[in-house]
Amino acid sequence: VLDSTFKKRLLWLRHHIASSLSIDLTCIDIMPAYQRYAGNLYSKISPSAWEQVTSNSRFEIVIISALYGMIYWNEPIIDYNVAMSRPLYPRKPVATWWKENGLGHILTHFIQHQEIGLVRSFLSLTYQNAVSLVPKLVSIPWLQYEYPQLGSGSDYYRGLDVNQLVLTDTA
């Protein structure tokens, strides 16, 4: 849970980037993030794994999003198509914008104010760049899952690994 200062900052950043991309965040067609996202990563996480996350307080899943910054796995979101690699300003991808505007500090604050003993990161390199400071700022182990030389196909394996981790309850 974010305190009010960080929550206000995150909301302001979300509105700023949405405005910059001409996206209306007030759209009424919203659904939980884990249901909204349909790419290779999320399609490999089974409904039973999401049920396990719902019923198991040992898991805290947050998603790093190009539009929303940091979101909870079940947070209602709109349908959008923005990637961290997308140029926001000339020569500045969305990931760089988030990094320069403190997404890493927001995520660090979240981690430090939870009873989290280990972070398991399944972020791709582009998404890692948006929060690259965090592993250095937190005082708990940070396990980065790597999928070298798989390119965009790595999301398939990220999803399988998240699914397996949740279902085997090894958090």
Side-chain angles (χ1 to χ4, degrees), residues 7-60:
K7 189 173 189 173
K8 286 178 187 175
R9 175 74 177 154
L10 181 58
L11 292 174
W12 185 87
L13 290 169
R14 287 176 179 179
H15 287 282
H16 181 80
I17 196 165
S19 176
S20 298
L21 296 168
S22 300
I23 296 174
D24 180 9
L25 288 176
T26 63
C27 176
I28 61 171
D29 181 22
I30 60 173
M31 65 175 51
Y34 78 99
Q35 292 175 344
R36 171 69 69 194
Y37 293 132
N40 282 333
L41 190 155
Y42 295 93
S43 68
K44 297 303 170 205
I45 303 173
S46 66
S48 57
W50 290 119
E51 289 172 18
Q52 179 73 6
V53 172
T54 301
S55 64
N56 188 339
S57 62
R58 292 183 56 205
F59 291 101
E60 188 65 59

Side-chain angles (χ1 to χ4, degrees), residues 133-150:
L133 295 173
V134 180
K136 298 170 191 135
L137 297 174
V138 297
S139 59
I140 60 172
W142 182 282
L143 180 58
Q144 179 65 52
Y145 286 71
E146 301 287 345
Y147 303 83
Q149 301 177 3
L150 290 177

Side-chain angles (χ1 to χ4, degrees), residues 17-18 20-21 23 37 39 42 63-69 78-89 91-99 103 123-130 152 155:
I17 196 165
S20 298
L21 296 168
I23 296 174
Y37 293 132
Y42 295 93
I63 298 167
I64 302 303
S65 160
L67 179 60
Y68 288 93
I78 65 167
D79 189 17
Y80 70 96
N81 186 14
V82 178
M84 286 288 190
S85 58
R86 179 178 175 171
L88 186 58
Y89 301 111
R91 298 190 181 130
K92 184 178 288 191
V94 169
T96 302
W97 183 88
W98 276 112
K99 181 177 181 175
L103 180 58
L123 296 172
S124 67
L125 185 57
T126 306
Y127 285 73
Q128 287 176 45
N129 289 338
S152 62
D155 282 347

